[in-house]
Every structure is written in C-alpha cells, then in structure tokens.
Amino acid sequence: MPRPPSPARSALLAPGAAVTRAGRWPGSLSGGLREGLLGAPWWMFLLVALTLASMSLSVLVIRSASGHQRTLLLLADTTALTHQLEALDWRAISGEPLDASFWLDLDRCVMVSRQREAELRRAAARENRLIPVSWLPLRPTLPPGVTLPAAAVTLGEYREATTQELALIRQGDRQAARELDAARVDPLSERLGVMISALRVRQTWDARVSLQLAALLGILTLLISLVTVTLLSARLRRSLQRARTLEREGQAQREREERDSLTGLWNRGGLARQYVHWAGLGPLSVVVLDLNRLKVINDLGGHAAGDAHLRRVALALLEVTEPLGLVARWGGDEFVMLLPALDAGQAAGVAGRALALLETPGEPLPPFAFGVSAVQGVSSLERSLALADAAMYEHKEGQRRDAEQRGGGRLGPSVEEFTSRLEQLETPQDVLGEGLMLARQVLDFHASVYLERTGEDFVLRELNGDLPPSAARALTERAYRAGTGLTGQVIADSAAHWSNDYPDHPGALDAWVQAGLKSTLLVPVRYGGRVMGVLGLLQFGSWRVVTPQARRLTEAVASRLGHTFERLQAVETVRSALQGGLLALGVALEERDLETAGHTARVVDLSAQLGRQLGLHDAKLDALRQGASLHDIGKLVIPDAILLKPGPLDEQEWQVMRHHAERGYEIAHRLSGLMPATLDVIRSHHERWDGRGYPDGLAGEAIPLAARIFAVCDVYDALTHVRPYKEAWSHAAAIAEIRAQSGTQFDPQVVEQFVALIEGSRHPDAARPTPDLPGTPDTHSGW
C-alpha cells in the first residue's frame, strides 16, 4: 500500500530548524521553466534571430531558384511554340493544301503564344521582386536589349508576323507571303531564337547559383540551429533542474508547514490531509494517545525535561508504527497514530509495544493511555478521533484504578499525591529513606544527601542514589560550616540555595566540581529554632533545571523532616516524663513491698535491653518499660498483713496474693495513655510457659512477648539481690536456675537471648561469691 514519506529521524534529534524562503516559490514545474526561459541572455535571442533570418533567406533563394526553373520551362515551351509556328509557316508556303486541321492548329498556336507572352511578362515582374542575382559580378552577360520583356515582345511580333503571313496565304497570295516571311518572319524567328538561347543560359546560371546559395544558407541555418538548439537544451536542462529544485523545496516547505517543529511528526493540518488520503485507500485504525505525567515533568524538570520526554515518546511511536502507518502530534500531550489495514485489536497491540518501550519499572502509572477506533468506509476525522478519545479516557480511568489498588509507597502521577504520601511518613528515618528517595525520583536527580549538625559543623549522615565514587569521598571527607560554599550559604541564610550550573557558581567547591556536580538544590532543615541539617539533591554528568516547583517540593520534604525531629523530641520529653513518673511510682511500690532498693529501675533497664535484642523498637520498648515500672501496682490492694508477713503464706493468703496481677491490670486499665503491651506485662508477668501460671493459665506463645521478657528479668533480679527472707544468689547460680526453668516456667527463646545478653555484658554481680544453692524460691520473690 502506498504511504506518504515519513519524517527523518534526525528531525527528532535536532528539531526546530529555521525555515527560510528566498524569493517566490513557483507554483508548478511550468512556472520554473518560464522563470528559466525569461532569464535567458541576449546572445540566445541573437542566435534565434540569426537562425530565423537565415531560414528566411533560404526560403527566398529557393523561391528564386524555383522561379528560374519555371522561367526555363517557359522558355522551353516558347521555343517549342516557335517551332510549331515555323512548321505551320513552311507548310503554308510550300503550297501544300491547307485543311481545317491546319487552321485549328494555327488558332491553337496563336492562343498559346498569347498565354506564353503573358507568362513571360509575369516572369519578368517576378524576377524583379526576388533576390537580385544580377548583382553578382560573375553573372553571364546578355546581348543588348535581351530581357524577358523583350522576349515577350519578340514572341508577340513573331506571332503577329506569322499570322499576317498565313492570312496572305489564306487569301491565295503566296508570293506576298514568301516576301513577308523573308523580310520579317525569318529575322524575327532568328532574333527570337537567339534571345531564347541567351535567356536560357542566363536563367540556367541563375537557377544554379540560387540552388548553391540555398544550399549554403541551408548549411549555415543548420549550424546556427544546432548551436541554438545546443545552447537552448543546456539552458532548458538548467531550467528544468532549477524547476525541480524549486519544486522539491516547495514540497519540503509545504511538508515543514505540516510537521511539528519539536518532534518532526505530522501536525494537525498534516494529519487531516493524510487521513483523507489513507481513508480513501481502505480500512484503517485510529489510535489516540494521551501522556499521563507531562505536566508533572514540566513542573518539576522544566520545559527542557518535558521536551525530551515528548521526543522520547515520538521515537518510540515511530519505531512501532514504521512502516505500517504514521504518527502525528495532535496537541500538547496528545498523539495520534493512523494504522492502515489493521483492526482495533492489532492497533491496540501496536500501542502496547510502544508502552513496553517507554514503561519504567516501579512507576505508578504507565507512560500514556490510549484508545482505538476502527474506520470502515467514509468517515470524518473528527468522528474517528471522538470515538478513540472516548476509549482512551476509559483506559486512563482503568489505569488510575489499578494504581490505587496496587497502592504501595511509590509516588503517584501528581505532586498532590506525593505530598499526601509525604504526610504519612512519621519518623526521621522514613523521611530520609522513603521520602527523600521519592523526591529524588520525581525530580529526576541522581543523588540525595543529608548533612546533620554536630556542634558548629555539619557532617554527612545520609547519602543515597547514583553518584561517582569521587563525589562520595568529597562529601564524607569534610565538614561544612556557615559561609563556606553553597552549603555554607544555606546554613548562614537559613534559606534554600540552588545552582543550575554549579561549576560556574561563585560558591562552588573544587572537590564537588571535580566530582562532576552539574546542578544542585540545597534546603535547610530547621527545628528547635535553628538550622539543624541541610537536605540536598545532586545532579552529576548533566545539567538539571531547578524549577520553583522542585524547590517547593524539596522544601516540603525538609519541613516534614524538621517536623518529625521536633515531634520526636517532644515524644522523647513526654516519654521521659512519663517514664520518670511511672518509675517513681514503682519505687514507691518497692518501699511498701519491702523490695530491694533499685529493683524497679534495674528490671526496667534490663527488660529494655532484652527487648531490644529480641527486635522490639520504639513504642513496644516504651510499653515494656512502662509495664516493668508498674508490674506490681496490683499489690496496692493487698492487705499489709499478707503483703508484709515475714513467714510463708498459707493457702488462703496465697490465693489473695495471686490476685494482685488481675487487680493491677484493672487499676492500670483506668490510667489513660497506657499502651496494651504495658497492660500485658502487668497482667501476665506471672504466667508460665507450661501453662501453670496465673491469673489466666496461658501457655507458650499465648503469653504476650513483653510479659515473657519481663518474667525472666524479674526473676533474675530477685535471685541476685538480697531480700529480707533470703540471701543473694550468684550470677552463675541464677543463670543455672533460669536455664533449668527454660521450657517450663520461661520461654526457651527468651532464655537463650537473655543468657547471651547477660554473659556478653559481664554483669557486675557475676563476680559475687556463690552461696549454697537454695531450694524453691520464696513466693515473695515475685515468682
């Protein structure tokens, strides 16, 4: 199927070439020929004039030669006529009887002689009008008075004398006839013969000269004609070449007017014309494509980034359509493909291949959405585009639904969605990790950096992305202060600073320039009323436009990071205050329960260490600390008689004592702000791994992990410290007892981690002498 020429791919690599027009473009090839011929030089017109003049002279000479030949024929006829008259004359004089045929022949000869006389006169007049060959110096001379008019007169006189002689014979006067013949007819006959002979010689010579002159003129005309034709042919070839060149340039100009200057694809006008051509050839499919993130790319990377993205899309579309069809840029972020002889499914496959070429793993939305309409028969372009547009919007909506269902931490197609995701990041680690990575990807920078204040210096804390090793060394091997380089300006001014061309910036540092830094954006991170960090985006190897949108987005990340640091400080302050209050309450409980001084503080610290080793973080560790501080709050409701009894408890007293875990849970539950894990420690720290604990008889992993952790730490501290009712155990004896209870009273995994923690930290009590190993610990120990 014939197809219009596709644009050169070089138009995509170097778009926007200026189009100039020198002078007037001819409308057609004939216009170019006219321009070439009208511009011919003067000598060409001279050659043409000489050719025409030579041809005209040749015609005149040929006509003259033709006249001479007719004159020769006339003279020959005249000679024959005189011979006939002489024959009649002799016949009459001889005395031969004259019959009617004689007189008929005589009348005929008289009539013919009159015709020849008239013809001789006309020949004389014609000779005077032709080229005067008589001017030639070599022309043969004639006797005086011998001319064509004289020949005509002599022929007339001879005819009249002969007629008179024959009239005398008719009258019977033959003697008078003979005398007339001798006196007048014979001299006239002789004179006429001489004159005719002389004229024949002259006319023959004139005819020969005319023919030779005609031949020479013909040769001259031929030569001039050949030169003229040769020059005209060369001129015509140049004119044709010029006309073709102008035609090609005109076609190229018309095509440029129908091309998009950025991508080299057809524009709206070109698409409309091509659609009319292709729709008339048979069925085709129209594909409308709409880019998903062009506005975001323009806002964040500038129009240079947007133009580069458009050219990348155009190249991908050309790759999948050539030589099947054509591609046009319909609007700012819209493209149209015409695919002849393909149905809707096949056209969708072509668009899908273009998606595969452009798609980047991890992007929330594909590069574009598309819709297809199949054209059968006569259909307007507007109708085909409307149908394809409708399908495209359905496809785009489906893409958005799929992105929402997938979810995840990736940046959506808009800055608003990025901002929403940023607001969900709660900790500095999340902002420096996920938030900064998202900002780097959206803004298309190579690397991100975070410098943290240490005294008066700012040192590297986070460095991520794709950057040269020299750049990493330049960042890690130095500290930054206010006033030094671009970073120092950010610290000193407490404001964002950036450079689209870092090597030319007045504050550029040699180490960064040598590392290949081309563009950068640095913003301060403020909390606590001062600049505490600097967050930066770095571009190596190529230049990057830092747009206002990019600055606002990076400042939002810095603001979020400062907010999380401030909140972390506030939470830490509240946590410290709360933990201090809870610890004070635990110490008060120690005093009432006659616990060893410092027991609460020790179990709080030891539980936190063991919980951290088992993988607990932040909130769960806080809950464990709070639970360790309040683990015996339920003993507030135990009567002093039972709680402070110096000896063993009886069964009824033991049942009352066993209720302190439940009662402590009920009391703590009324305190607002305590986390569920804190309540788990208070209620379940006397549960046993084998299920024989209290108050709920939980077994195995049904016991909350925080309670399992605290139980081991509580028993270890109770064993290794003096109580009123027992001596302190040695570290080794306590570890041996805890190991012995692994799998029955304690969680084996927690015991293993606890032993590793205690042995690794070389607990101070480990050097204490080991007393005799006691029997079953007293119930007051908290077991």
Side-chain angles (χ1 to χ4, degrees), residues 644-695:
L644 303 177
K645 183 178 179 180
L649 302 178
D650 58 26
E651 185 61 27
Q652 184 178 3
E653 292 171 338
W654 176 242
Q655 291 299 328
V656 174
M657 179 63 73
R658 287 167 63 95
H659 286 305
H660 84 277
E662 287 182 85
R663 300 301 300 276
Y665 174 81
E666 293 171 358
I667 293 171
H669 195 270
R670 296 187 182 96
L671 298 176
S672 62
L674 295 181
M675 290 176 281
T678 299
L679 302 178
D680 290 339
V681 173
I682 296 172
R683 184 180 182 91
S684 302
H685 68 280
H686 285 296
E687 299 286 358
R688 293 171 56 94
W689 185 258
D690 58 9
R692 293 188 295 112
Y694 63 88

Side-chain angles (χ1 to χ4, degrees), residues 249-434:
E249 292 177 353
Q251 178 65 28
Q253 172 65 18
R254 290 191 294 272
E255 185 168 305
R256 282 194 293 271
E257 292 173 354
E258 294 182 348
R259 292 284 184 181
D260 176 57
S261 60
L262 175 64
T263 62
L265 304 178
W266 297 102
N267 58 20
R268 287 192 175 213
L271 176 65
R273 187 171 62 84
Q274 295 296 325
Y275 178 83
V276 172
H277 170 74
W278 283 31
L281 297 178
L284 76 154
S285 291
V286 178
V287 184
V288 173
L289 306 99
D290 185 79
L291 303 186
N292 280 325
R293 300 189 64 221
L294 181 61
K295 184 178 185 302
V296 175
I297 293 173
N298 280 330
D299 289 343
L300 302 180
H303 287 291
D307 291 347
H309 181 63
L310 287 171
R311 287 194 290 269
R312 188 163 54 248
V313 172
L315 281 172
L317 296 180
L318 283 174
E319 184 170 344
V320 299
T321 56
E322 290 184 342
L324 299 176
L326 64 82
V327 187
R329 186 183 177 196
W330 185 252
D333 56 356
E334 289 182 314
F335 293 84
V336 176
M337 293 191 298
L338 298 185
L339 301 174
L342 296 184
D343 58 26
Q346 293 169 326
V350 173
R353 291 199 297 274
L355 272 178
L357 290 175
L358 294 168
E359 201 159 14
T360 302
E363 285 294 331
L365 285 175
F368 59 79
F370 66 88
V372 183
S373 67
V375 179
Q376 296 288 341
V378 178
S379 178
S380 66
L381 176 61
E382 290 75 13
R383 176 179 179 274
S384 302
L385 291 177
L387 295 176
D389 253 345
M392 181 273 293
Y393 282 115
E394 293 296 330
H395 187 215
K396 184 181 287 285
E397 184 62 26
Q399 289 176 339
R400 292 189 178 277
R401 285 197 301 267
D402 292 343
E404 291 174 358
Q405 291 174 1
R406 286 194 304 269
R410 303 295 298 176
L411 176 65
S414 67
V415 175
E416 290 75 13
E417 293 177 0
F418 170 82
T419 304
S420 175
R421 178 59 190 158
L422 185 64
E423 291 296 325
Q424 298 174 16
L425 303 178
E426 299 292 338
T427 67
Q429 291 76 17
D430 291 339
V431 177
L432 290 174
E434 182 179 356

